[in-house]
Amino acid sequence: MARSNYRYPLYRMRHKARFSSMGNRENAMGVNVPGFVDEFTLHYAKVNLTIMQRYGTAGSTLEHSTIIAIRHNEKVKQPMLVKLADGNTYSITNISANNDSYISYDLLTLELNTKGK
């Protein structure tokens, strides 16, 4: 059986992220309006980049991005919004999925969402 390239101990998966997607939701007046609807919550670990990785992203669109690791989950897809424990909402810009084994992790690259706050 193939092994995952990266592993995260359970104590690092202590943060919770809320995942949302575009859909219709009911406003206070009972009218369906388009917007982001909460779908599910997952635990995640923060991924720290090395100094060389940080220098490599300097000046690029990835400079202000965040990377998190989650247990492999088929429900996570683009476009989705993710609300992290820091209270900020992020858009998923890349999903590095890994389903090699029963204990696999996906790396999500997130960019701070400044639209529709």
Side-chain angles (χ1 to χ4, degrees):
M1 180 178 290
R3 292 195 143 258
S4 177
N5 293 339
Y6 35 84
R7 299 234 182 245
Y8 296 92
L10 287 178
Y11 73 87
R12 292 205 47 211
M13 306 289 281
R14 67 181 176 271
H15 309 286
K16 283 187 181 180
R18 284 193 344 224
F19 289 79
S20 306
S21 65
M22 194 62 153
N24 288 323
R25 59 184 171 90
E26 198 172 288
N27 67 9
M29 302 293 285
V31 177
N32 278 336
V33 294
F36 283 94
V37 179
D38 285 345
E39 293 211 14
F40 51 89
T41 302
L42 296 174
H43 284 89
Y44 72 92
K46 295 178 185 178
V47 175
N48 297 320
L49 298 179
T50 66
I51 296 292
M52 288 306 293
Q53 289 170 326
R54 284 285 176 202
Y55 282 133
T57 61
S60 73
T61 57
L62 296 174
E63 184 176 8
H64 300 290
S65 61
T66 300
I67 300 175
I68 63 170
I70 60 169
R71 288 286 301 267
H72 177 70
N73 192 317
E74 296 284 336
K75 296 188 291 185
V76 177
K77 56 191 175 293
Q78 290 175 282
M80 287 188 109
L81 288 181
V82 182
K83 186 165 189 172
L84 298 184
D86 63 7
N88 292 322
T89 303
Y90 297 84
S91 337
I92 298 175
T93 58
N94 187 25
I95 301 172
S96 178
N98 182 1
N99 59 356
D100 289 344
S101 68
Y102 67 96
I103 302 178
S104 296
Y105 297 91
D106 296 343
L107 294 179
L108 306 180
T109 304
L110 308 175
E111 186 176 314
L112 188 60
N113 183 32
T114 55
K115 300 177 223 159
K117 279 194 155 190

